[in-house]
Amino acid sequence: MYLSSHPRTAGRPRTASRLWHAALLAIVTAALITQIVLVCTGGADANSARGTDDAGTATRLVRLFSYFTVQSNLLVMVSSLSLFLAPQRDGRLWRVLRLDTLLGIAITGLVFAVVLAPDIHLTGAALWVTIGFHYIAPPATLVGWLLFGPRDRIDRTTVARSFLWPAAWIGYTLLHGAVTHWYPYPFLDAGELGYAVALRNILFVLLIALAAALALARLDRVLTRRAAHRERLAP
């Protein structure tokens, strides 16, 4: 077990986990709602710093939810709500959801910081949105996992299944871009860069994600053993 079974202490980590994930859920939900309002009213897009264009509201909303950033933050919302309701939740599908959340939001934070942030300059509500999406959600999600788990949830099957969503997103992004000539990120713009360069960039990110998934699986096993050891030593 990850949580102590001692009656005086068992509830403390669960309460802390619920509070942590409730706060994270509130922040990301507020950021998403604000971004939807901005998109619908012609405001800036926190993912690209672009304002309104000739596209209709429906098209702008489709583009909004085509961003890997937004989809990753949606997973953070679902995962946080799930852990608020049941801090020790488990299940095959849930394990994949949780690992996809960790990988997706970690890649979101890393790619934004290294590749996108230097070219995005925001003010007002859009700035608060990007703070929630890119500066709070990634570290808070990962720290929450380190602090509260739940443990012993990442195995090889889960790692393999967790790449179904990124693969589907890549396929959708390239197909959507080929049809509409719009790409969510400049390093994926096959129309501008060519498919060889775009696919090379995608492969590089996937390799980083695979390394991160294997590292998380290894760390999960180590933390599980340590928790079990502490449980055996507890009076």
Side-chain angles (χ1 to χ4, degrees):
M1 293 176 61
Y2 171 58
L3 298 176
S4 172
S5 59
H6 193 284
R8 294 183 179 179
T9 61
R12 294 176 187 172
R14 298 190 184 195
T15 299
S17 176
R18 284 192 169 101
L19 292 173
W20 183 280
H21 290 103
L24 180 56
L25 174 62
I27 291 170
V28 176
T29 300
L32 180 60
I33 292 173
T34 303
Q35 182 61 87
I36 291 173
V37 171
L38 287 172
V39 167
C40 291
T41 57
D45 183 346
N47 298 281
S48 64
R50 291 192 291 264
T52 185
D53 53 25
D54 294 333
T57 301
T59 298
R60 294 200 299 271
L61 286 172
V62 168
R63 290 176 178 178
L64 174 65
F65 287 99
S66 295
Y67 282 105
F68 190 82
T69 293
V70 172
Q71 293 187 18
S72 296
N73 276 274
L74 283 171
L75 290 180
V76 170
M77 291 170 59
V78 174
S79 178
S80 296
L81 176 61
S82 175
L83 290 171
F84 170 73
L85 296 174
Q88 286 297 293
R89 188 177 296 278
D90 199 2
R92 287 180 293 181
L93 180 60
W94 189 88
R95 290 186 180 198
V96 176
L97 167 69
R98 182 59 169 158
L99 182 55
D100 271 333
T101 300
L102 294 169
L103 291 176
I105 205 64
I107 294 297
T108 290
L110 178 64
V111 171
F112 182 82
V114 175
V115 179
L116 303 174
D119 297 322
I120 295 180
H121 307 286
L122 298 163
T123 58
L127 175 60
W128 290 108
V129 170
T130 204
I131 289 173
F133 280 170
H134 299 115
Y135 293 101
I136 295 179
T141 301
L142 294 170
V143 170
W145 177 77
L146 287 171
L147 291 175
F148 308 113
R151 296 284 165 251
D152 198 19
R153 301 292 194 269
I154 306 176
D155 53 26
R156 292 181 180 178
T157 300
T158 301
V159 170
R161 290 173 176 171
S162 70
F163 280 82
L164 293 175
W165 164 55
W169 180 83
I170 290 168
Y172 162 79
T173 298
L174 294 177
L175 179 60
H176 184 256
V179 173
T180 66
H181 307 293
W182 178 89
Y183 293 85
Y185 303 107
F187 62 89
L188 297 181
D189 192 337
E192 182 71 24
L193 302 174
Y195 279 97
V197 175
L199 290 173
R200 182 201 63 190
N201 294 340
I202 289 170
L203 178 60
F204 180 68
V205 174
L206 285 175
L207 289 175
I208 293 176
L210 178 59
L214 295 175
L216 287 171
R218 171 62 178 170
L219 184 57
D220 187 44
R221 291 193 295 270
V222 170
L223 294 175
T224 298
R225 288 197 297 268
R226 289 183 180 179
H229 179 67
R230 289 195 300 267
E231 188 75 16
R232 288 194 298 269
L233 296 178

